[in-house]
Amino acid sequence: MTAAQITSLARDCGFELAGIARAEPLPNDSRRYLDWVDRGMAGAMGYLTDRRAIVRTDPKLLLPSARSIICVGKLYNGPEPRSTELQDAELGWVSRYAWGDDYHHVVRRGLEKLAGKLGLHHECKICVDTAPLLERSYAREAGLGWIGKNTCLINQEIGSWVFLGEILTSLEIEADSPPPDRCGTCTRCIDACPTQAIAPQGYEIDARRCIPYFTIELHGAAPEELRAAIGQHIFGCDICQDVCPWNGRAPIAEEPAFEPRHFAPPLEELAGLSEDEFRARFHASPIQRAKYAGFLRNVAVAMGNSKLEKFREPLQHLATFPNELVAEHARWAIEQLLPAPASTSS
Ligand code: B12
Ligand code: SF4
Ligand code: SF4
């Protein structure tokens, strides 16, 4: 089986991008990764810093017989506007990747189909996000794109609204080669990041300052000094990709599972959801990952940042929650609201 045959089969399985990398360590990337962890930039994401950190330095620690990595990319761009165009302070912003169904299942299903077509029933391992593998680095090696200053994998033709997945296999397949870095002198993502999470020279993010970290991964309180910069974001953040010129002509994904369902819901409606309603509304959505309390924490912060007096009542309701995470963020949000205009009656 040649690399060209495999990439053509991958397209039949719903992947816009496919390529082959060698299942070998990437010493420069591993060194950068471990150094990033040592500097504390992974915050409280234990799965990046525990014994799995070292597994990321060599794919053979995931599958000892691995010789090649089949890397795929699946487009998830939707037709809706960019977060940078959002004007309505009554709405919360969900990042593009979470508008439809959870990609973990969608990409895995496609990879299982591909593994079936390739006859890889044994000696292979399917990875989508959660495996300790430096996915962006292997995708770059497989020729899927370059790693931009915003740290996203960018493809010259379709941009960066792309999920990554891999099949580690014992098959020996001719590897592709990485494309050049096409960021040039551009610094748009670095300049636009509201929390200065991107290093001044780019190519590195301090997760402890990154909005997706506070709104998705973190179970505790969002740092108070960064809450205002979170703006209307209630799940993830797209700003550094919205401003990227390589996403200007990104095609729209054809995958039905990524039909946009949750892109800018009204905050007041979200603040009133019971736990059961939260589960039902976000069934099969990545938003479940924030959990009910984390989600209401995010909604409270966005309501505070909207400054709208009309949110005082729903926030007062959240401030009575027995869950202190929700209650504390609601109290903070109430303090951000603009005082009601004084009555003019004499
Ligand atoms: C932890 C994590 C996060 C963290 C940390 C993000 C980060 N940039 O490190 C948080 C929660 C903040 C996050 C946010 C998002 N994530 Co995330 N995340 C991951 C995860 C699980 C691990 C990433 C990691 O190891 N980070 C540590 C850093 C050091 O590693 P790295 O980013 O891979 O960096 C490598 C290169 O940048 C390179 N490098 C470093 N310095 C330099 C310098 C130069 C000059 C060069 C050339 C290279 C280079 O070496 C590094 C080590 O190999 C991956 C899945 C996976 N298993 O890899 C998904 C993943 C990276 N995330 C993904 C997505 C979609 C997102 C969000 C868009 C979601 C959202 N809308 O909110 C944002 C994007 C934010 C951003 N600009 O990165 C996708 C990215 C797809 C793509 N096209 O790039 C991935 C690959 C998941 C997937 N399977 O599709 N994420
Ligand atoms: S995702 Fe948002 S917060 Fe994180 S680096 Fe990009 S612009 Fe900054
Ligand atoms: S905005 Fe500019 S610097 Fe940032 S990733 Fe895109 S091209 Fe590179």
Side-chain angles (χ1 to χ4, degrees):
M1 184 80 62
T2 65
Q5 286 168 318
I6 293 175
T7 50
S8 146
L9 282 177
R11 287 195 185 95
D12 295 344
C13 295
F15 297 110
E16 286 79 3
L17 305 177
I20 312 296
R22 268 184 283 277
E24 298 291 343
L26 299 169
N28 285 341
D29 293 77
S30 299
R31 185 178 38 74
R32 284 191 191 108
Y33 179 78
L34 294 174
D35 176 53
W36 181 83
V37 165
D38 278 351
R39 284 179 289 139
M41 294 206 178
M45 292 183 283
Y47 61 92
L48 296 174
T49 58
D50 65 13
R51 58 186 171 73
R52 283 168 284 187
I54 211 70
V55 179
R56 282 175 204 265
T57 64
D58 185 356
K60 287 200 173 65
L61 295 172
L62 276 174
L63 181 73
S65 64
R67 287 197 197 142
S68 309
I69 307 180
I70 303 170
C71 296
V72 296
K74 187 159 180 71
L75 187 72
Y76 64 89
N77 187 31
E80 274 64 18
R82 296 156 190 233
S83 58
T84 42
E85 294 161 33
L86 179 71
Q87 303 283 351
D88 190 339
E90 296 193 20
L91 305 179
W93 190 262
V94 173
S95 68
R96 197 162 288 257
Y97 95 93
W99 289 352
D101 287 352
D102 193 330
Y103 72 95
H104 294 91
H105 309 300
V106 181
V107 173
R108 180 170 291 276
R109 272 200 303 274
L111 286 172
E112 281 167 359
K113 195 167 158 194
L114 178 59
K117 282 185 188 258
L118 294 169
L120 301 179
H121 300 295
H122 304 288
E123 295 298 309
C124 82
K125 181 166 175 60
I126 290 177
C127 307
V128 187
D129 184 51
T130 51
L133 183 71
L134 294 174
E135 290 192 307
R136 288 162 157 172
S137 302
Y138 286 100
R140 180 197 64 211
E141 292 302 297
L144 269 52
W146 75 96
I147 294 174
K149 289 180 193 170
N150 62 8
T151 78
C152 291
L153 191 282
I154 308 173
N155 177 273
Q156 191 180 1
E157 263 86 47
I158 67 172
S160 68
W161 306 118
V162 171
F163 295 125
L164 303 180
E166 305 78 24
I167 304 178
L168 272 60
T169 166
S170 51
L171 286 180
E172 184 85 56
I173 316 166
E174 198 188 331
D176 289 286
S177 47
D181 180 334
R182 296 181 194 275
C183 282
T185 55
C186 176
T187 57
R188 286 195 207 182
C189 52
I190 300 167
D191 302 338
C193 174
T195 55
Q196 289 86 46
I198 309 179
Q201 74 284 7
Y203 304 106
E204 181 178 270
I205 280 185
D206 185 342
R208 295 166 301 180
R209 300 188 68 86
C210 185
I211 294 169
Y213 172 68
F214 308 134
T215 55
I216 306 174
E217 300 295 319
L218 188 69
H219 299 304
E224 218 168 310
E225 67 281 10
L226 292 176
R227 287 184 195 173
I230 294 175
Q232 304 294 113
H233 291 94
I234 54 168
F235 192 81
C237 168
D238 287 335
I239 293 175
C240 56
Q241 295 186 85
D242 277 339
V243 299
C244 178
W246 293 98
N247 283 332
R249 281 177 291 125
I252 303 298
E254 287 171 15
E255 170 61 58
F258 297 154
E259 282 278 309
R261 289 184 280 127
H262 302 296
F263 93 99
L267 288 167
E268 193 160 355
E269 204 176 294
L270 299 177
L273 292 178
S274 69
E275 191 157 2
D276 286 346
E277 287 166 341
F278 167 77
R279 278 207 209 96
R281 180 162 176 158
F282 298 113
H283 168 74
S285 155
I287 295 174
Q288 293 275 1
R289 183 162 172 83
K291 306 244 172 26
Y292 182 55
F295 185 71
L296 290 182
R297 166 200 63 192
N298 300 345
V299 169
V301 171
M303 281 179 147
N305 288 334
S306 77
K307 312 261 182 235
L308 295 177
E309 175 59 26
K310 69 174 288 200
F311 289 151
R312 187 175 296 276
E313 212 181 297
L315 281 169
Q316 278 167 342
H317 165 68
L318 291 180
T320 64
F321 259 52
N323 183 311
E324 182 51 22
L325 182 72
V326 178
E328 185 272 311
H329 285 75
R331 289 195 298 272
W332 174 87
I334 291 168
E335 284 168 22
Q336 314 309 308
L337 301 181
L338 296 173
S343 159
T344 51
S345 61
S346 52

